[in-house]
Amino acid sequence: MIKHLRSAADLDAPTATLILDTAGEMAALAGREVKKLPTLRGRTVVNLFYEDSTRTRISFEAAAKRLSADVINFSAKGSSVSKGESLKDTALTLQAMGADAVVIRHPASGAPHRLAQWVDGSVVNAGDGTHEHPTQALLDAYTMRSRLGRLDGLKVAIVGDVLHSRVARSNVLLLTTLGAQVTLVGPPTLIPLNVAAALSPKTKVSYDLDSVLPDMDVVMMLRVQTERMQDSYFPSAREYSRRYGLDLARMRKLPEHAIVMHPGPMNRGMEITPEVADSSRSTIVEQVANGVSARMAVLYLLLGGKA
Amino acid sequence: MTSYLLRGVSVLGAEPTDLLIRDGVIASGPATGADIIDAAGLVALPGLVDLHTHLREPGREDAETVETGSRAAALGGYTAVFAMANTSPVADTAGVVEQVWRLGREAGLVDVQPIGAVTVGLAGKQLAELGAMATSAAGVRIFSDDGHCVADPRLMRRALEYVKAFDGIIAQHAEEPRLTEGAQMHEGEVSTRLGLTGWPAVAEEAIIARDVLLAEHVGSRLHICHVSTAGSVEVLRQAKARGVRVTAEVTPHHLLLTDELAASYDPVYKVNPPLRTAKDVHALREALVEGVIDIVATDHAPHAVEDKECEWAYARPGMVGLETALPVVLSVLGERWDLIAERMSRTPARIAGLTGHGTDLAVGDPANLTLVDPSARRVVDPSELASRSRNTPYAGTTLPGRIVATFLRGEPTVLDGKAVK
């Protein structure tokens, strides 16, 4: 098993499949009355969060607690971090406290890579800047596999601000590893120029959502921040919605079996309409539940649990 | 003043001969009373001249001082360095440039020539008192806002014109700021993969294209700092073919390293302009050999440990380079001694109007020279650097060549590979 999960590229197909299979076993646990395994009793998992992200933090917290680990939440607010302590000094502190795993969310790309050089424990990337969010990709892949029964050969459109999206990067890498065919869709300003060469030569790019939809098994809508308008990535929220938003009319262009995903938090009315988000094709709430199972699987396997 | 006889030295790779240094100059005649230095197997080069050094004093003496930077320079084979203006306070007045110049004289290890800021506080709004710096004791001839681009085209035009009165030259840090907001590394496949904001090649090329046209229009000299892209080379090639009076430098690290190194997220590889692709490296090497790029300049940029031991995005850009420049160039160009002397000594001295450096080491020339052992190999160990900072990208790398001795006006600053003071 790998030691750290810094990037979805750390996972080869057998390892990724093992994590998804393990997540399935963890999910079965959620249906029981006692939702707890003793596996990580006595182990310490630190949630080191430099960005506000309640949903990701509580997901990791629930995952670690269901495995009986001791959980320490270390948030940048109200800690020495706000007094200017460096990441290295924080790392040495966590090291001295005997952290077995550090789950890090950080606004700077590559912070998990730096952290891994300074701590002995496992490092799990819970989102770093505009780089990656590998556990999100794992829970997305798990969701697709549960709903559609397979990943190999699946056609997945990832739509929106790919340029700034850590979710998109991790999903392209992981889904390609697992045999899916990814098409990135968005305005050219928000798709990196050389994205296929950079991430995976099999990746396709389209600027026309309507032409892509009829062929897709999965459409994943990315959150688009309205402040991108100020930087001229697109002219207005209205124009963005018109060209790249998923509404009922567009959803009807999808094949019958296709699902709609969103990593959250959503801008309802911007990249996705409420009718679509709340439709039976939407897996958005399921993704949240699956997040706990996927993160349990990651912590379980990284910290030496046997599958 | 001690005399020295360099016995069996190869001047620029020629047949071994004896070279006599007396009264600060290359001398002829009997070597009576001279200290004899066995220079068999060593190559003598004119002392190297660096048009682009950050000495950090005043302001960041924890990263480097004029003295420690001078020592690093001498150990690298340099006899003159040009100190960039982005100190604190900025070298934008006669007072600050004279302070740096005086500190250099006191250290006495290399000739420290201050570069003056083009604009007040490097803010790009208003010309600094360029004339006052030119007529100061420091005798400034090169002006640069390095670290910042003189982005305003009208201000750049005025600066190019104004310095003609005292044969000055503007050294431009070519970076269109609107195209590099938040930029962290070269924009390309690697930046996309790493999720780091890209610094597109066009941001450099667009400014160089604009500035060669401005220099052509007003008939001024222009120097381009740290050229880093294949596209910039093409712009320069065309401008030179038209007769534009433009010169350009390339750093050792842009001749050797590529953007793939950023994959470690170790900010020791973060530099501005950023490391580019292998294709750019290839074009820069060719341009240096051809002369489209005129010189090698180090952009020696010392940084304190805490400014590098952090997240990539929060780290300061820059690498130390004075002590590794010649070995890197040797590894890139091979033992082409005359070409090395041209690119690292004679031409930079000529661009700067610096007399007494970059000579042919003929009898009567000031004895500013360095002795290199080309057969030696050295593994770079950051803890051994004389610079106060440790941010070398070459830690653990084996590089050819060892600087054995350096002489400044006939006095050794380095002997047996060690600084004399």
Side-chain angles (χ1 to χ4, degrees):
Chain A
M1 193 62 201
I2 53 169
K3 180 173 181 192
H4 306 294
L5 182 58
R6 293 161 300 190
S7 158
D10 291 341
L11 303 171
D12 57 16
T15 309
T17 305
L18 174 63
I19 294 174
L20 298 184
D21 293 345
T22 308
E25 293 167 29
M26 299 297 174
L29 190 71
R32 294 191 211 159
E33 199 172 329
V34 178
K35 297 181 175 57
K36 214 158 168 151
L37 283 181
T39 321
L40 297 184
R41 184 174 292 154
R43 314 294 290 276
T44 302
V45 174
V46 176
N47 287 323
L48 178 58
F49 273 57
Y50 286 82
E51 280 183 344
D52 287 329
S53 174
T54 309
R55 42 196 304 142
T56 305
R57 187 185 52 72
I58 61 175
S59 181
F60 270 106
E61 188 172 350
K65 284 183 170 166
R66 284 187 194 174
L67 294 168
S68 305
D70 295 320
V71 179
I72 298 171
N73 288 313
F74 191 133
S75 128
K77 278 186 185 147
S79 74
S80 49
V81 173
S82 54
K83 294 172 202 144
E85 185 174 69
S86 72
L87 179 62
K88 183 179 180 180
D89 287 330
T90 302
L92 297 179
T93 302
L94 301 180
Q95 175 67 23
M97 292 194 298
D100 296 294
V102 182
V103 176
I104 179 172
R105 162 68 69 106
H106 199 291
S109 299
H113 293 71
R114 299 294 283 155
L115 183 67
Q117 291 167 334
W118 297 318
V119 296
D120 291 337
S122 291
V123 171
V124 180
N125 183 357
D128 62 328
T130 52
H131 177 223
E132 284 207 45
H133 194 356
T135 60
Q136 177 73 41
L138 284 164
L139 77 89
D140 289 338
Y142 179 82
T143 305
M144 289 176 213
R145 204 177 70 166
S146 320
R147 276 283 192 121
L148 301 168
R150 69 192 165 106
L151 288 165
D152 191 38
L154 221 53
K155 289 186 172 153
V156 181
I158 301 178
V159 184
D161 184 359
V162 174
L163 181 65
H164 300 96
S165 175
R166 49 197 177 203
V167 175
R169 271 178 191 71
S170 286
N171 263 301
V172 169
L173 292 168
L174 182 70
L175 291 171
T176 307
T177 299
L178 293 171
Q181 166 69 61
V182 179
T183 304
L184 300 170
V185 186
T189 45
L190 291 174
I191 308 280
L193 281 173
N194 34 41
V195 68
L199 297 178
S200 157
K202 289 181 228 152
T203 311
K204 294 181 183 170
V205 171
S206 171
Y207 307 133
D208 179 7
L209 182 56
D210 291 304
S211 70
V212 165
L213 291 174
D215 205 25
M216 289 297 132
D217 302 301
V218 179
V219 56
M220 183 186 295
M221 306 306 295
L222 300 173
R223 177 181 169 81
V224 176
Q225 292 176 329
T226 44
E227 59 261 30
R228 302 288 176 221
M229 280 185 293
Q230 273 91 58
D231 280 338
S232 298
Y233 286 105
F234 51 87
S236 68
R238 185 188 293 261
E239 174 156 326
Y240 183 88
S241 299
R242 216 160 27 216
R243 293 179 66 84
Y244 297 103
L246 191 62
D247 58 11
L248 277 178
R250 281 208 170 101
M251 191 172 78
R252 288 194 195 101
K253 294 184 179 177
L254 286 166
E256 279 294 308
H257 67 276
I259 57 171
V260 174
M261 306 181 73
H262 194 299
M266 284 181 280
N267 290 311
R268 286 176 182 251
M270 175 80 174
E271 70 267 4
I272 192 166
T273 61
E275 299 79 36
V276 174
D278 300 332
S279 76
S280 60
R281 290 171 171 234
S282 161
T283 63
I284 295 166
V285 178
E286 232 170 292
Q287 286 171 264
V288 176
N290 292 340
V292 178
S293 307
R295 285 161 184 140
M296 284 174 80
V298 167
L299 290 172
Y300 178 77
L301 293 169
L302 287 189
L303 292 181
K306 290 193 180 73
Chain B
M1 201 174 201
T2 317
S3 307
Y4 295 90
L5 183 71
L6 312 181
R7 179 159 282 166
V9 72
S10 162
V11 177
L12 293 170
E15 285 302 303
T17 182
D18 293 349
L19 202 62
L20 181 64
I21 298 173
R22 175 166 283 162
D23 297 328
V25 298
I26 308 294
S28 59
T32 322
D35 279 6
I36 293 170
I37 294 175
D38 177 11
L42 304 185
V43 174
L45 293 173
L48 306 182
V49 177
D50 188 15
L51 287 199
H52 195 143
T53 309
H54 296 274
L55 293 178
R56 301 292 185 228
E57 190 177 2
R60 281 308 297 264
E61 290 82 356
D62 58 325
E64 195 78 285
T65 66
V66 172
E67 187 188 337
T68 58
S70 293
R71 193 170 294 118
L75 285 163
Y78 287 89
T79 52
V81 298
F82 285 73
M84 273 298 172
N86 61 340
T87 48
S88 177
V90 172
D92 58 1
T93 62
V96 177
V97 294
E98 284 189 350
Q99 180 196 358
V100 172
W101 177 76
R102 199 168 49 247
L103 288 165
R105 298 246 298 190
E106 285 166 9
L109 288 156
V110 289
D111 284 343
V112 174
Q113 305 291 326
I115 290 173
V118 177
T119 66
V120 174
L122 309 175
K125 298 286 182 211
Q126 181 192 347
L127 282 187
E129 290 191 351
L130 309 180
M133 291 188 271
T135 53
S136 74
V140 176
R141 287 293 175 275
I142 304 181
F143 299 90
S144 180
D145 274 1
D146 181 62
H148 303 267
C149 184
V150 181
D152 178 344
R154 192 170 70 155
L155 189 61
M156 185 61 182
R157 178 214 165 130
R158 299 274 190 265
L160 286 166
E161 285 183 295
Y162 190 80
V163 299
K164 284 203 274 190
F166 35 85
D167 196 29
I169 184 166
I170 305 296
Q172 175 70 295
H173 170 116
E175 175 183 355
E176 166 52 51
R178 290 284 285 156
L179 287 173
T180 58
E181 280 174 22
Q184 296 293 330
M185 68 171 295
H186 173 65
E187 181 179 311
E189 290 171 23
V190 184
S191 68
T192 294
R193 197 164 73 232
L194 300 184
L196 291 169
T197 306
W199 197 130
V202 64
E204 175 174 303
E205 293 151 9
I207 291 292
I208 298 177
R210 180 198 79 178
D211 286 356
V212 295
L213 292 171
L214 283 174
E216 187 172 29
H217 179 60
V218 299
S220 293
R221 289 203 296 154
L222 166 69
H223 180 72
I224 304 296
C225 297
H226 42 53
V227 170
S228 69
T229 79
S232 296
V233 169
E234 284 318 301
V235 173
L236 288 166
R237 193 191 305 279
Q238 290 168 23
K240 286 187 164 193
R242 284 204 312 278
V244 180
R245 295 203 295 160
V246 59
T247 54
E249 70 189 34
V250 63
T251 70
H253 46 271
H254 287 111
L255 290 171
L256 194 65
L257 310 177
T258 67
D259 61 342
E260 292 285 348
L261 290 164
S264 65
Y265 289 101
D266 184 343
V268 78
Y269 303 113
K270 181 174 174 177
V271 64
N272 192 23
L275 299 177
R276 305 283 185 185
T277 66
K279 175 175 148 279
D280 296 299
V281 168
H282 181 73
L284 293 169
R285 289 179 177 194
E286 277 194 347
L288 183 66
V289 172
E290 281 176 64
V292 173
I293 290 175
D294 302 83
I295 64 168
V296 174
T298 65
D299 196 4
H300 176 81
H303 286 298
V305 172
E306 65 272 20
D307 291 326
K308 284 290 191 182
E309 216 167 53
C310 58
E311 298 85 333
W312 179 281
Y314 306 158
R316 288 176 188 266
M319 307 170 162
V320 294
L322 284 168
E323 294 168 77
T324 48
L326 183 57
V328 170
V329 172
L330 259 176
S331 76
V332 168
L333 294 181
E335 294 181 23
R336 296 154 88 171
W337 300 109
D338 195 66
L339 182 64
I340 290 172
E342 194 64 32
R343 299 286 179 258
M344 298 185 78
S345 178
R346 292 183 210 129
T347 310
R350 197 160 58 238
I351 291 168
L354 186 66
T355 54
H357 292 269
T359 70
D360 295 327
L361 303 181
V363 170
D365 283 340
N368 295 318
L369 60 104
T370 190
L371 298 183
V372 187
D373 178 359
S375 65
R377 294 284 178 279
R378 185 174 67 145
V379 180
V380 179
D381 177 354
S383 71
E384 288 177 358
L385 295 176
S387 170
R388 188 159 278 187
S389 292
R390 299 283 168 263
N391 52 308
T392 173
Y394 309 113
T397 307
T398 303
L399 291 172
R402 173 172 170 266
I403 287 87
V404 176
T406 306
F407 290 84
L408 178 64
R409 281 182 287 280
E411 287 295 326
T413 55
V414 173
L415 278 179
D416 292 328
K418 293 184 177 59
V420 169
K421 59 178 177 180

